[in-house]
Amino acid sequence: MSIAGLKFDNSYARELEGFYVPWKGAEVPAPKLVRFNRELAVELGLDADALDSAEGAAILSGHTAPEGATPLAMAYAGHQFGGFSPQLGDGRALLLGEVIDSHDERRDLHLKGSGRTPFSRGGDGKAVLGPVLREYIIGEAMHALGVPTTRALAAVMTGESIMRQAGAEQGAVLARVASSHLRVGTFQFFAARGETDRLRQLADYAIARHYPALAGKPDRYLQLLVQVRDRQAALIAKWMLIGFVHGVMNTDNMTISGETIDYGPCAFLDVYDPKMVFSSIDQNGRYAYGNQPQIAQWNLARLAETLLDLINPDDSDAAVRMASEVINGFPEAYQDAWLEGMRQKLGLEREQDSDMELATDLFSVMEGQNVDFTQLFRSLSDVAAGQAEAARALFDDPAVFDGWLAAYRERLLREPGTAQERAAAMNRVNPVYIPRNHMVEAALESAGKGNLAPFERLVEVLANPFEARTGLEVYALGAPSGFGAYTTYCGT
């Protein structure tokens, strides 16, 4: 065990030789911790005091490999905006190793921005401070919001000056944690090469790691597809319920574990708009907010294609039929997860057949009304308690809302419990605070000038998103009128 308490058990390196390239992080001149997630370190069973140090900064930047680590660059392929790239891989990242956390769960410790690898494809393999801090903010906010996600263990400045389109920027590395970094694209890498034996090896590893109840079952590869489908349906439903736009839902950014990964050109809705796109590279709106469920299904179909020879090696037509049935079940799985979440957001404990219509009608009346997504859902607890003024005021034309409001009030009459109990339950799932785009940008701009206080404050606020606190009103507001259209970038 190293001084930082990093006790590794590196199953990916041990069991999947040939699925990666052993590598090491680039040496950097002056690694320095910008933000260290002590809470997560304790959860991982690490020595937080030892890791929150100069030695810890060297480890978490990739500069130094600790005892027991087997740093490697993972191989994967992927469909990027619909076009297939047979070899992508960790072009600026390393899997440092795996640790067993305090809940006896296996977790990857992964570095992003740690230098060139054999998969860099001409890139410098580096990251800069702004995108690293963005991923820290968004990932930790998603965790606090109850969304399965990779998490940030640390943001580390490297002491380098990195050239980007806007000029020289401060180099940085993100140390993040995930249940694994197995992706749809990992399966695509070996399927594209016709390496069925390695696909089987990968699938068995994924089952053992994430779905152990399937191990040894005759139909385990088909059931693996079912399990990944259901986890992804639940994940995308959570995204949609909080107004999150991932921005780059390529197959190499879809995990087998069902966690959100790679916070690049991501953002949250202020005003509700199903066509909203924030990514500078999504020119045709492929990954717009409202398209995310369909894109998830499309990505899962690509996973299904890689598993056909495993599902039924003797009858390809039968394999296609079985896999298609699973993929065709995605809309229902997603709808069930979304409606369950919507009932909670609306304070509906009892299930009624009319609930789907009530939920979808709300989004219909929101569209085109410049309604702040987060503020509206938070204000519905007041509606449930008999006060609708705040919710109505969010609409350009409040009369548009009134028909739905009447239907909602009538529906609440059929619910048990008191209005106060209902409002309290709703406030536990409808956040006050999300990573408002203008607040994120302000924090990143300030950090780039050497002032980390706004970043630290924003991370602190977002760690407790459901409790309204006096003095934090500005964090609950939408973008000011002069903020303009918001565009995000990949950070490469």
Side-chain angles (χ1 to χ4, degrees):
M1 184 183 296
S2 73
I3 191 172
L6 287 159
K7 187 176 182 180
F8 290 103
D9 180 30
N10 304 318
S11 64
Y12 191 92
R14 183 173 62 244
E15 299 175 24
L16 295 177
E17 186 176 353
F19 290 65
Y20 58 85
V21 178
W23 208 250
K24 64 178 182 177
E27 295 183 2
V28 297
K32 178 183 178 183
L33 285 168
V34 176
R35 185 61 153 73
F36 178 62
N37 192 336
R38 297 183 67 88
E39 174 200 356
L40 179 56
V42 171
E43 182 181 314
L44 294 172
L46 308 181
D47 185 336
D49 290 333
L51 203 53
D52 191 2
S53 65
E55 181 187 24
I59 290 170
L60 296 173
S61 69
H63 179 89
T64 301
E67 179 185 346
T70 54
L72 57 89
M74 303 174 76
Y76 51 84
H79 276 87
Q80 299 189 310
F81 290 89
F84 183 62
S85 296
Q87 180 171 301
L88 294 171
D90 284 333
R92 56 172 181 151
L94 288 178
L95 174 59
L96 194 61
E98 302 158 32
V99 297
I100 309 301
D101 68 16
S102 59
H103 305 294
D104 204 31
E105 298 288 335
R106 182 177 298 275
R107 310 279 284 278
D108 279 0
L109 179 53
H110 194 257
L111 306 180
K112 190 173 181 180
S114 52
R116 287 190 179 95
T117 78
F119 301 112
S120 293
R121 306 184 306 280
D124 62 12
K126 302 288 188 175
V128 297
L129 185 61
V132 164
L133 295 185
R134 177 191 297 278
E135 182 152 351
Y136 194 111
I137 291 168
I138 304 297
E140 287 305 289
M142 293 283 272
H143 171 71
L145 289 164
V147 181
T149 179
T150 58
R151 294 192 62 190
L153 178 60
V156 187
M157 290 176 60
T158 63
E160 299 170 294
S161 182
I162 306 297
M163 291 305 299
R164 290 292 181 259
Q165 189 172 5
E169 299 189 42
Q170 299 173 78
V173 174
L174 179 78
R176 69 184 183 189
V177 174
S179 293
S180 84
H181 285 77
L182 298 176
R183 314 156 189 260
V184 172
T186 317
F187 287 80
Q188 290 181 293
F189 183 87
F190 297 101
R193 288 159 174 73
E195 298 183 15
T196 303
D197 288 343
R198 284 193 166 178
L199 267 174
R200 182 177 292 105
Q201 186 181 358
L202 177 62
D204 286 340
Y205 176 83
I207 288 169
R209 184 158 180 177
H210 295 298
Y211 307 100
L214 302 180
K217 292 189 175 182
D219 65 342
R220 61 188 178 276
Y221 304 118
L222 182 65
Q223 292 305 313
L224 171 63
L225 184 60
V226 172
Q227 293 294 321
V228 176
R229 178 200 68 187
D230 290 349
R231 284 202 188 179
Q232 284 293 332
L235 176 66
I236 304 304
K238 287 181 179 291
W239 289 5
M240 301 297 285
L241 290 165
I242 58 173
F244 174 72
V245 184
H246 185 277
V248 61
M249 288 180 66
N250 298 329
T251 57
D252 55 296
N253 289 337
M254 176 178 272
T255 62
I256 301 303
S257 65
E259 290 178 316
T260 314
I261 190 172
D262 285 336
Y263 296 101
C266 59
F268 280 74
L269 297 179
D270 279 320
V271 169
Y272 171 70
D273 180 356
K275 297 180 181 178
M276 185 61 71
V277 172
F278 296 105
S279 171
S280 64
I281 58 175
D282 192 0
Q283 299 295 323
N284 298 314
R286 176 181 175 86
Y287 299 142
Y289 168 75
N291 289 348
Q292 292 181 129
Q294 296 94 317
I295 290 296
Q297 183 179 17
W298 191 91
N299 287 349
L300 288 166
R302 307 290 75 78
L303 175 64
E305 290 167 353
T306 72
L307 296 174
L308 292 176
D309 286 345
L310 304 183
I311 290 171
N312 192 328
D314 301 318
D315 188 338
S316 59
D317 290 339
V320 169
R321 286 194 301 272
M322 289 187 285
S324 295
E325 183 177 350
V326 174
I327 299 305
N328 291 337
F330 178 86
E332 181 178 358
Y334 166 77
Q335 179 176 290
D336 289 347
W338 182 85
L339 183 56
E340 179 183 356
M342 277 299 297
R343 285 195 175 103
Q344 294 177 12
K345 291 175 78 69
L346 296 175
L348 306 179
E349 183 178 338
R350 292 174 175 168
E351 297 182 9
Q352 297 198 355
D353 292 341
S354 61
D355 290 345
M356 177 58 78
E357 182 179 2
L358 181 70
T360 55
D361 282 353
L362 176 57
F363 286 87
S364 296
V365 300
M366 289 167 64
E367 191 165 355
Q369 285 288 312
N370 291 310
V371 177
D372 187 284
F373 185 98
T374 302
Q375 289 179 3
L376 177 64
F377 279 102
R378 183 68 179 194
S379 72
L380 290 181
S381 61
D382 291 333
V383 174
Q387 302 295 325
E389 291 78 8
R392 292 185 78 253
L394 294 171
F395 288 77
D396 285 345
D397 179 5
V400 171
F401 180 57
D402 288 342
W404 184 88
L405 182 59
Y408 178 51
R409 283 171 163 163
E410 191 278 331
R411 173 65 179 83
L412 290 177
L413 295 175
R414 303 195 293 275
E415 284 294 305
T418 67
Q420 290 73 23
E421 291 170 338
R422 188 174 304 115
M426 293 168 70
N427 284 341
R428 288 193 291 269
V429 297
N430 289 315
V432 183
Y433 313 111
I434 60 167
R436 292 285 183 177
N437 302 324
H438 64 291
M439 299 297 287
V440 171
E441 288 304 313
L444 299 186
E445 182 179 358
S446 181
K449 297 175 181 177
N451 179 12
L452 286 163
F455 163 77
E456 293 282 359
R457 184 58 166 156
L458 183 58
V459 171
E460 177 189 343
V461 170
L462 296 174
N464 187 6
F466 299 106
E467 180 185 345
R469 285 159 282 167
T470 302
L472 301 183
E473 290 81 6
V474 66
Y475 291 93
L477 300 177
S481 58
F483 186 63
Y486 185 52
T487 302
T488 56
Y489 302 88
C490 283
T492 56

